[in-house]
Amino acid sequence: VDEIVAKAHVAQKQWAKSTFSERRSVLNAILDYYIRHTDDVVRVSVRDSGKTRLGAVLGEITPTLEKLRWTISAGEDILKMEYRGNHGLLTLHKSARVEWHPVGVLGVLAPFNYPCHNILNHVISGLMAGD
């Protein structure tokens, strides 16, 4: 595990420098893969969590595809620097902003009940953010 995490740290430093266009490309590839392998995801979810096929589609496929689509379309805007206005006379001479920066390698420990979505939910956001 230590060796894998060390390699991930090296890769993440490069990934943090990637453009939003590059990040969207990777997320689009994941989206395409997930669509092409929907039956496999459903089969594994049914096998590993005891879900029905319908439960797997509604709990694994639909939310993951929607998270991917939303992140691909809105992720860059969500992560843009945001200026906050002043709030009264005491802060008239000050300014504030919110900036998002990659934080590093993500580790996801997820429960078994949604084996794919619970992991990909965090991975999708992390990839778009440069983590």
Side-chain angles (χ1 to χ4, degrees), residues 73-93:
S73 68
E76 183 174 358
D77 285 336
I78 296 298
L79 293 169
K80 282 184 180 173
M81 186 181 346
E82 177 185 340
Y83 286 93
R84 302 278 171 96
N86 67 53
H87 299 285
L89 289 175
L90 292 177
T91 58
L92 187 61
H93 65 293

Side-chain angles (χ1 to χ4, degrees), residues 1-112:
V1 172
D2 291 339
E3 182 180 331
I4 292 169
V5 171
K7 288 179 181 179
H9 277 289
V10 172
Q12 189 280 325
K13 288 183 187 327
Q14 287 302 114
W15 183 249
K17 298 173 188 174
S18 65
T19 66
F20 283 113
S21 177
E22 291 168 322
R23 296 173 193 179
R24 276 192 299 275
S25 291
V26 169
L27 292 177
N28 272 311
I30 293 170
L31 176 66
D32 292 343
Y33 182 90
Y34 212 69
I35 290 170
R36 283 193 322 274
H37 293 88
T38 293
D39 288 338
D40 294 331
V41 174
V42 169
R43 181 179 45 76
V44 170
S45 180
V46 167
R47 182 194 69 202
D48 291 356
S49 68
K51 291 185 178 347
T52 63
R53 287 187 59 76
L54 178 60
V57 169
L58 295 176
E60 295 280 6
I61 303 301
T62 304
T64 303
L65 293 178
E66 287 307 304
K67 171 86 178 229
L68 280 160
R69 288 181 182 119
W70 181 85
T71 304
I72 289 164
S73 68
E76 183 174 358
D77 285 336
I78 296 298
L79 293 169
K80 282 184 180 173
M81 186 181 346
E82 177 185 340
Y83 286 93
R84 302 278 171 96
N86 67 53
H87 299 285
L89 289 175
L90 292 177
T91 58
L92 187 61
H93 65 293
K94 297 181 184 242
S95 66
R97 67 180 182 259
V98 176
E99 294 182 18
W100 299 96
H101 299 279
V103 295
V105 174
L106 299 176
V108 180
L109 301 175
F112 76 96

